[in-house]
Amino acid sequence: SPFGIAINSKGNIVVSEYDNHRIQIFDSERNFISTFGSKGNNNGQFSNPWGICVDNNDRIYVCDYNNHRIQIFDSEGKFISTFGSQGSGNGQFNSPNGAYIDKNDNIYVCDSGNHRIQIFDSDGKFISTFGSNGYGNGQFNSPRGITVNSIGNIIVCDGGYDGNAKKYNYR
């Protein structure tokens, strides 16, 4: 069950495997390079990794879905740090499953169970949040994917909505 994919500066493909509780790295020709992670809740272990993204320094950020946190690894898969815990407060998660890193290395996280998007700096320090539960403008029902387009609009796939992406002009 590959659920997330990202490309680093070398063109390597980084894939999260939800059911195998690991991350795999392939070169641009699809040749296997390495794997890291195992099932568990310790640093470097996962409980269903989902969303994944890579920053400008090739650090890998993984949404650790059932451990309700984000883990950060170097380009080779060595654990650096983690942030977040289960809950509904700022910086807490309920099943994070989508992530995006902007050009300033700010991390946008789909906090699916809390029906919102949270934004952090590259070290995991909370910056802001937006969205609430519902079907109206500015509301989500299990957001699952996120990106930012070239003019700064945040595009969110709202999994519990109707399968359509929503556009937000949040800066």
Side-chain angles (χ1 to χ4, degrees):
S1 298
F3 270 31
I5 189 168
I7 308 294
N8 69 15
S9 67
K10 298 173 187 155
N12 293 335
I13 304 160
V14 186
V15 179
S16 66
E17 282 192 84
Y18 186 83
D19 288 331
N20 286 328
H21 312 283
R22 67 180 180 183
I23 306 302
Q24 291 201 67
I25 303 174
F26 301 87
D27 69 19
S28 60
E29 300 296 318
R30 300 182 312 253
N31 297 306
F32 175 79
I33 295 174
S34 65
T35 188
F36 63 93
S38 61
K39 186 173 183 170
N41 59 10
N42 293 319
N43 292 338
Q45 294 182 317
F46 303 107
S47 181
N48 305 108
W50 192 317
I52 193 166
C53 53
V54 177
D55 72 11
N56 293 320
N57 295 311
D58 284 340
R59 294 190 307 176
I60 301 166
Y61 296 76
V62 181
C63 294
D64 194 359
Y65 185 77
N66 285 320
N67 283 327
H68 312 285
R69 64 185 177 181
I70 306 299
Q71 293 196 67
I72 306 171
F73 300 86
D74 71 12
S75 63
E76 297 176 357
K78 293 184 179 102
F79 176 81
I80 296 173
S81 65
T82 187
F83 64 93
S85 61
Q86 187 171 15
S88 59
N90 291 339
Q92 294 182 315
F93 300 107
N94 183 355
S95 304
N97 62 3
Y100 173 81
I101 295 190
D102 69 15
K103 63 185 176 186
N104 299 316
D105 284 341
N106 291 320
I107 309 155
Y108 297 70
V109 179
C110 295
D111 187 5
S112 66
N114 286 321
H115 313 288
R116 65 185 178 181
I117 305 300
Q118 294 196 67
I119 305 172
F120 301 86
D121 70 13
S122 61
D123 293 320
K125 181 181 173 193
F126 175 80
I127 296 174
S128 64
T129 187
F130 66 94
S132 62
N133 189 19
Y135 297 98
N137 291 332
Q139 296 182 314
F140 301 107
N141 190 346
S142 297
R144 296 178 190 216
I146 188 165
T147 193
V148 178
N149 68 15
S150 62
I151 59 172
N153 293 321
I154 299 170
I155 313 297
V156 177
C157 290
D158 195 9
Y161 188 60
D162 61 5
N164 294 318
K166 296 180 181 181
K167 180 175 91 172
Y168 294 90
N169 292 314
Y170 179 86
R171 296 175 202 242

